[in-house]
Amino acid sequence: MTDIEFYTVHDISQEEEDSYEQLGTKSKFWYLERDTKKDILFKSTKTKDGFRYGEDWAEKIACELAELIGLPHAHYELATYNSERGVITPNFINRTDQQLLAGNLLLQTYLDANGENPNIQYIDHVHSVMTNMIGLKPIESISYEKIDSASEFFVGYLMFDALIANQDRHNENWGMISSISGKHLAPSYDHGASLARNESDEVRNTRLNTKDKGQMLSVYVKKARSQFHSPSNNKRLKLLDAFHFYGLKEKGAALSWLNRLNDNVTEEIVWKIIQKVPPALMSEIAKKFTVQLILCNKANLLELRNVFL
């Protein structure tokens, strides 16, 4: 067996906190990296309610998978700050003319005067925002076959959510970058609530080895829900359905993303990505479970290909 080169865990304990991040519930702060002079965000797994172990490795694995399929994304590295586990990510707003506007602000037009819940989002409304308000693909992103506009890239974000079981694409976890060059879709970011990172190893082991069909991983992954709501009953759509319904509006792009998934995400490569997480952060059973979760989700996504032909 070849030696594994584990991901570096960057110790940033000597960095000075610059400002606290306002969004979300986790402990976060910005600092100016001494060598590069870049603005870096540290996101701890510690929260006001305790710890969210696994969010660090989930964020890192998601980052590597996004890179694999060519999905524009914020970059993440594993890190510690005074023994607190977390990740670091460079600010993707890197020019003074750029401003990030989160989805909740872009969806204000669709909130009714009766005080509709501002956290609820629907496929039709988000598609309208992508096509009528944003329009342009992420800054510095590469176009692919039938993938060039904001909406055509966003359908890839929803496929990616289904692949990694990301149930946290609420309307503050996508957005628009307004700049002198126009209005661009922001890269995909904040994937820590994915890959079933909060399951115990006992549950993971059971789902991998059970003969009870109701407990099997192949059944479990199909239950994951998105942050998109059904207009008919306001219940949260399942991740596969969110991609399916949005994909029907961008069939060519949806099919192109599925082809990229099929061509680039192989079992061997997924194993290599996950094995590089240091064992102190992720157990062997968690690694086996996560590989199978991704492969199950890939298979379920590829079953949708005929829908978009």
Side-chain angles (χ1 to χ4, degrees):
M1 182 177 178
T2 58
D3 292 335
I4 299 171
E5 184 179 350
F6 294 112
Y7 298 122
T8 300
V9 180
H10 301 266
D11 187 347
I12 64 161
S13 301
Q14 301 305 312
E15 302 289 351
E16 295 183 4
E17 299 177 12
D18 184 20
S19 62
Y20 282 93
E21 175 75 16
Q22 298 300 310
L23 300 178
T25 58
K26 293 181 283 296
S27 174
K28 308 178 185 180
F29 65 83
W30 290 96
Y31 67 92
L32 187 67
E33 192 171 55
R34 297 180 183 185
D35 295 335
T36 65
K37 303 303 180 183
K38 291 182 178 179
D39 287 325
I40 308 292
L41 177 67
F42 172 72
K43 296 180 12 176
S44 174
T45 57
K46 183 180 180 180
T47 73
K48 60 183 178 181
D49 301 318
F51 290 89
R52 293 182 177 177
Y53 291 121
E55 283 200 355
D56 47 358
W57 56 253
E59 197 78 82
K60 179 57 178 172
I61 291 170
C63 173
E64 297 297 316
L65 289 171
E67 187 72 18
L68 189 62
I69 63 174
L71 190 88
H73 63 96
H75 184 76
Y76 293 91
E77 295 287 347
L78 298 168
T80 61
Y81 177 74
N82 292 335
S83 299
E84 281 186 24
R85 286 170 49 174
V87 292
I88 51 176
T89 179
N91 192 353
F92 53 75
I93 303 297
N94 50 32
R95 292 210 316 257
T96 55
D97 66 289
Q98 295 177 355
Q99 180 185 13
L100 175 66
L101 297 173
N104 61 328
L105 299 176
L106 303 176
L107 288 168
Q108 287 295 315
T109 304
Y110 300 100
L111 299 179
D112 62 31
N114 298 321
E116 184 177 345
N117 186 341
N119 296 318
I120 290 180
Q121 59 185 354
Y122 302 101
I123 295 291
D124 284 350
H125 293 170
V126 174
H127 182 259
S128 181
V129 167
M130 292 294 158
T131 55
N132 299 325
M133 296 179 66
I134 304 180
L136 299 177
K137 66 181 181 179
I139 295 171
E140 297 182 356
S141 62
I142 299 172
S143 296
Y144 307 112
E145 182 182 3
K146 298 183 180 179
I147 302 172
D148 186 59
S149 68
S151 187
E152 289 163 348
F153 271 89
F154 190 73
V155 71
Y157 292 12
L158 298 187
M159 182 197 75
F160 185 62
D161 288 345
L163 177 67
I164 65 172
N166 176 27
Q167 301 185 75
D168 202 34
R169 181 82 62 186
H170 55 73
N171 58 24
E172 290 182 2
N173 276 350
W174 60 269
M176 174 182 78
I177 296 178
S178 178
S179 76
I180 196 169
S181 62
K183 296 176 180 178
H184 299 261
L185 177 64
S188 186
Y189 57 89
D190 210 348
H191 312 113
S194 64
L195 299 173
R197 61 92 200 157
N198 56 329
E199 290 285 19
S200 68
D201 279 354
E202 181 181 5
V203 170
R204 291 183 178 115
N205 189 58
T206 297
R207 294 199 183 282
L208 285 173
N209 297 293
T210 185
K211 294 183 180 180
D212 180 350
K213 290 186 177 181
Q215 294 294 317
M216 288 180 176
L217 183 57
S218 57
V219 174
Y220 169 77
V221 295
K222 290 184 177 180
K223 297 178 181 179
R225 293 191 177 272
S226 73
Q227 291 292 333
F228 286 85
H229 289 247
S230 166
S232 61
N233 58 22
N234 257 345
K235 291 183 178 180
R236 288 169 60 190
L237 295 172
K238 293 181 179 179
L239 287 171
L240 279 171
D241 290 335
F243 169 64
H244 179 182
F245 297 154
Y246 197 101
L248 290 175
K249 298 178 180 295
E250 302 288 357
K251 289 185 178 182
L255 187 58
S256 187
W257 281 115
L258 288 174
N259 289 337
R260 295 188 65 78
L261 171 67
N262 184 59
D263 294 343
N264 294 289
V265 180
T266 66
E267 182 172 0
E268 180 183 4
I269 293 175
V270 172
W271 260 114
K272 287 181 178 178
I273 288 172
I274 292 175
Q275 284 286 45
K276 292 175 71 175
V277 177
L281 302 186
M282 189 179 190
S283 69
E284 195 61 29
I285 192 67
K287 291 181 179 182
K288 291 178 180 178
F289 176 88
T290 305
V291 169
Q292 294 307 313
L293 178 145
I294 292 167
L295 294 177
C296 280
N297 285 335
K298 174 188 173 182
N300 291 333
L301 281 162
L302 292 179
E303 287 182 0
L304 292 173
R305 279 193 290 191
N306 289 339
V307 173
F308 306 125
L309 292 175

